[in-house]
Amino acid sequence: MIAGETVSSPENSSARALTGKCLCGAVQYVVADEFGYALNCHCSNCRRATGSAFKPFAGIERGKLRVASGEHMLMMFGDPSAAHDAHCKACGSLLYSVVREGAFAHVTMGTLVDEPSIRPTAHIFVGSKGRWFTITDDLPQFDEHVVGG
């Protein structure tokens, strides 16, 4: 599937398809441009997994994300049947995290090749962010998760 094609969701609706891939290109995925939310997570786990100050991610129902090639190159960290992170075995890129009892995927926005229609709306887990990093935008900040989220 290529950018601009449609991805069928479980509800049989169609959306613009976005492509994504790891650094070395061994794993490629397709996801519907139907993200429900996007956030910048500053928790210590996200910082360690990405090697960065925070992880920008977009959340979507798990069934709207499909590994298009290189599935055998995925390395799962966590419980493969429940919450886990999916990395490329070759280059180590964190591609997505499966969360919320396996129902949702948090796609790392930095691995998207195509531009999504959504943008991060808040910073979460700011209470544990790296002290060496200063947030300079005007997005709302939450010490833990988004209130009401």
Side-chain angles (χ1 to χ4, degrees):
M1 190 169 282
I2 1 182
E5 288 189 63
T6 58
V7 174
S8 293
S9 73
E11 299 81 27
N12 294 321
S13 68
S14 294
R16 184 171 69 102
L18 304 174
T19 59
K21 65 180 181 175
C22 63
L23 177 63
C24 71
V27 180
Q28 297 186 22
Y29 65 85
V30 177
V31 64
D33 190 16
E34 294 181 339
F35 295 107
Y37 52 91
L39 301 163
N40 293 323
C41 185
H42 294 264
C43 80
S44 60
N45 287 337
C46 285
R47 287 188 285 117
R48 283 186 196 88
T50 62
S52 185
F54 58 91
K55 175 177 86 171
F57 70 88
I60 194 162
E61 294 89 353
R62 177 67 184 94
K64 295 181 180 182
L65 169 71
R66 176 177 66 79
V67 175
S69 64
E71 190 165 4
H72 67 286
M73 292 299 293
L74 284 176
M75 175 184 68
M76 304 303 180
F77 180 78
D79 181 351
S81 64
H84 64 271
D85 290 339
H87 295 261
C88 172
K89 285 183 191 176
C91 67
S93 294
L94 172 59
L95 298 161
Y96 59 89
S97 302
V98 174
V99 298
R100 296 168 62 184
E101 300 175 5
F104 280 76
H106 285 172
V107 174
T108 52
M109 294 181 81
T111 64
L112 286 167
V113 173
D114 301 312
E115 187 172 332
S117 57
I118 199 166
R119 299 291 183 267
T121 59
H123 293 273
I124 59 173
F125 293 97
V126 173
S128 62
K129 79 172 187 64
R131 291 184 184 141
W132 48 267
F133 181 75
T134 303
I135 297 171
T136 59
D137 61 42
D138 293 328
L139 293 177
Q141 298 180 26
F142 297 90
D143 280 346
E144 294 184 1
H145 214 294
V146 175
V147 176

